[in-house]
Amino acid sequence: MPEALSSFRICDFTGQLAGAGATKWLASFGAEVIRIEDPVNEGRWDILRSRAPTVDGNSSVNLSGSFNNHNTKKHGITLNLRTERGKEILAELVKISDVVTENFSKGVLDRWGFGYERLKELRPDIIYVSHSGFGHRGPYSDFKSWGPVVQAISGLTFASGLRDQEPAGWGYSFMDHTGAYYMAMAVLLAIIHRQRTGEGQWVDLAGTEAALTLHGPALLDWTVNQRPTRRPGHPDSNRNLWPPMAPHGVYPCAGDDDWVAIACRNQGEWEALTSVIDEDWCRDPVFADLEGRLASQDALDAHIAQWTAERNKFEVQSALHEVRVSAAAVQKPQERIDLDPSTENFGLWRKVVHPEIGPVRVEGHPVHFSKTDWSIERGGPCLGEHTEEVLGRLLGMSSKEVDELREEGVI
Amino acid sequence: MTALTGIRVIELAREPIAFVGKLCGDMGADVILVEPPGGDPCRGYPPFLDDTPGEDRSLYWWHYNSSKRSVVIDLDDEDGRDRFRALVATADVLIEGEPPDRLATLGLDYDDLIKHRTDLIHASVTPFGRNDPKSDLPATDLTLLAGGGPMWSCGYDDHSLPPVRGPQQGYQTGANFGFLSVLTALAYRGVSGEGQFIDLSQHAALNVTTEGSSIRWLTAQTTVQRQTGRHASVTPTTKTSQLCADGRLASTGAGARNQEQFALLHEWLKELDLESQLPEAVFLEMGANWEGHLNMGLIGEDDAVTAIFGAGREAMKLIASTLTAQEFFVQSQRKGFTSAVVNAPEEAFEDEHIKARGFHVDVYHEDIERTITYPGAPYPLPASPWRIWRRAPKLGEHDEEVFSELT
């Protein structure tokens, strides 16, 4: 099968998930992603390189499960950019690359002498995509961030929570994932633009800005109606405002921390739900129509919770699916990864054999393309795993030259 | 000219995929929204212009359908299907979220449509993928987030409270992958001239958007547990949110990490005249004067290191409690600490940094003679700018101009 992006080469300085997640997508579709890492600090500008989890509990720059997952199929080379020779080699690589990607704080590439102006000198149609929490322009451009900061600043943390509680926020770096998706979009949009015009450009992606676009209707309610989301009783995010639905919530089930989500989108689904529950309260006239159910939603939820609490979450899910009501067990990691035919049959989880980790599973992608599907044949690169191969193949260096570079501390 | 100028996208109106069309349209694509007679039900979703329900007053509709044109086609009618085929013949991309068998039954699936447009890119978005029988069942943003993994990690330390969803992000995450897939297919078509069919599963999209939850299980078969306002974790972590003087929350982050930062923090505490309120302040000084690498990895093992980092966190929280959340955020960031204010979306929107980057975008609605301020670009592409090219369309507003071009 041909690969969608095999004609594009990316000179990649990304790390963590917010950057590495973007080039993972591109690599999976065939782009030649060359990850450049520092030999002196062993690539630790990506803090995930030596972090848990690992398969056997040991720790080293080549054993991290997160690093391995986010960097599948990429080439890894080392280059010491403190040395002149290292900078010369990077310049040669930029000349033959289509895209340069990074998610450092503002100014790091400039300090190395590889800011956008210099990149453009090396390759006039270069595409440069930087991704940071606040971007390289604006009053906060020197501020530092990671996923939870982006989420807090942009309102995503605030928007997620139960009534009369502090925000629950996101229990992970949702914006590292989503920021990576927007970074990959920016790369592809710039590639498509270049295909059509021959022009390159610099995209100064700011995670907080991308995150703010995810609140559309709430922001228009603010600019048009001056209605803030910070108001009594809000947010109450397991309920639904657009459109209002009742019931719409997450209910306790029998078992250890087991829950089920139920949503009735219309009167027919409410009637279907009550045909399954079939208790006296279902016929209470206060719940007869949507207006009534919205007005009595606390009481309604209490009744449903009492019913679900005695039942297994997957049994509730099946019983409601039987009558075509939206319902889903809140799945634990093992349930959705090891026991869920829908992810298994989709081929979502892939096993790679890593030279040091051994066989280990990684995340795939949630799509299949009929002609150029993604593939993941290998895990993340060990530190410097492809240095010799890449410098030989792309820059024509002999093994002897590469050995000399190694002795001089350039790679 | 912008990145997708001249690319024609047909979108079969459905709530979960509207965002894909918006992402295409705002980058310059000619997005034609195909609605059934009577229109897409999302036209009736709140909130409304001036809080008054009515035709073309849904702000929800306005947001998700900017930069699109609307035509009405009845796919349940043979003339309608002919018209749809003629429309697809002019298109580069089709985006749809129909139940798995619906288009095949109508004779309008990928295999039928490529007879009319050989290089068509057809993206299908369903809950579990085209080949999964569960895709025929109803699903909502809530149930997708519940089954797909994100919700397990989100909620409160108190596990008698339910897991919590980030509203809209189930649909929007699927849509983000929809747009990413369309762009990938367009880049390939730019090289090869070929289109193709794309089968997207929203359930899978959420399954790979859970960070540590998946990675921990895939790598080490351990299970993260939800915690209030911070990362779900296999072993509990310390709370980092702090109520500030103005009643808003700040996230104090990891606090000081090295000698220089402990010195800065100690100095800041003194400047604010708070040293006497923090008995542990002595450990800040100890951190500032520490010889060699101050290793966070030894927290819990080495008493001195534990006390030093503990004092750092307490100092940050104490300072935060005496300032407004915004003051704490700006002042601590200026000192090099990775902290945040927990903004409501509208507070984030009004922030000076966001405004300075040009995120407020005014769009003139000629039909109501009003200028409406919208959220701006997710990414600034200077050579191919994002823009709201037109307000969301009225039902069938473009029937005549679109249909008159068709043969």
Side-chain angles (χ1 to χ4, degrees), chain B residues 114-127:
Chain B
I114 50 167
K115 291 174 195 147
H116 305 276
R117 178 78 188 198
T118 52
D119 62 351
L120 181 70
I121 294 167
H122 175 163
S124 152
V125 180
T126 55

Side-chain angles (χ1 to χ4, degrees), chain A residues 19-302:
Chain A
T23 50
K24 173 178 177 166
W25 172 277
L26 303 170
S28 299
F29 281 95
E32 184 182 7
V33 176
I34 301 172
R35 237 191 105 88
I36 296 164
E37 299 185 272
D38 180 19
V40 179
N41 77 0
E42 298 189 303
R44 284 194 179 85
W45 68 44
D46 184 341
I47 57 167
L48 296 182
R49 257 242 177 249
S50 51
R51 283 267 173 103
T54 59
V55 168
D56 57 8
N58 289 325
S59 168
S60 101
V61 292
N62 292 330
L63 295 178
S64 160
S66 307
F67 180 88
N68 180 54
N69 184 75
H70 307 334
N71 292 286
T72 45
K73 218 180 163 181
K74 299 177 192 174
H75 302 268
I77 72 167
T78 49
L79 216 46
N80 183 350
L81 296 172
R82 296 166 197 82
T83 65
E84 276 315 303
R85 189 72 185 110
K87 289 183 183 180
E88 284 166 22
I89 293 170
L90 176 57
E92 293 307 308
L93 281 174
V94 170
K95 283 182 198 168
I96 55 168
S97 294
D98 301 282
V99 181
V100 174
T101 45
E102 54 101 346
N103 61 317
F104 293 123
S105 302
K106 170 187 164 187
V108 171
L109 255 63
D110 275 318
R111 283 201 291 281
W112 290 341
F114 287 90
Y116 179 55
E117 290 307 315
R118 168 84 167 122
L119 294 174
K120 225 168 34 171
E121 274 169 34
L122 292 167
R123 168 131 185 180
D125 64 351
I126 196 79
I127 291 163
Y128 168 43
V129 180
S130 56
H131 178 199
S132 55
F134 296 98
H136 291 210
R137 290 178 297 109
Y140 302 164
S141 57
D142 291 321
F143 288 9
K144 305 278 189 295
S145 74
W146 63 306
V149 167
V150 173
Q151 288 150 210
I153 294 295
S154 65
L156 281 170
T157 300
F158 182 87
S160 174
L162 301 177
R163 188 179 40 177
D164 304 328
Q165 299 282 338
E166 69 174 282
W170 287 81
Y172 61 98
S173 290
F174 174 72
M175 273 316 295
D176 279 10
H177 279 289
T178 303
Y181 307 153
Y182 279 82
M183 187 179 193
M185 289 174 200
V187 169
L188 289 163
L189 283 164
I191 281 177
I192 292 166
H193 181 85
R194 201 189 66 176
Q195 282 178 333
R196 306 176 83 204
T197 64
E199 275 181 291
Q201 58 189 310
W202 170 23
V203 184
D204 169 27
L205 180 68
T208 44
E209 225 165 41
L212 254 178
T213 66
L214 305 175
H215 293 295
L219 292 179
L220 284 183
D221 201 18
W222 167 248
T223 64
V224 175
N225 296 327
Q226 289 82 51
R227 179 179 294 108
T229 61
R230 192 189 288 276
R231 63 183 193 269
H234 288 270
D236 196 2
S237 67
N238 284 353
R239 292 187 172 172
N240 215 52
L241 295 173
W242 319 308
M245 295 185 214
H248 188 284
V250 179
Y251 305 93
C253 290
D256 176 23
D257 205 8
D258 276 346
W259 303 84
V260 68
I262 300 173
C264 284
R265 299 174 301 174
N266 52 49
Q267 190 66 16
E269 291 182 0
W270 161 250
E271 283 161 15
L273 174 71
T274 51
S275 75
V276 173
I277 297 178
D278 196 27
E279 291 181 355
D280 284 346
W281 62 265
C282 297
R283 291 170 282 276
D284 187 330
V286 301
F287 301 135
D289 59 16
L290 177 63
E291 208 175 315
R293 291 194 296 278
L294 286 169
S296 312
Q297 204 164 351
D298 288 342
L300 174 65
D301 282 347

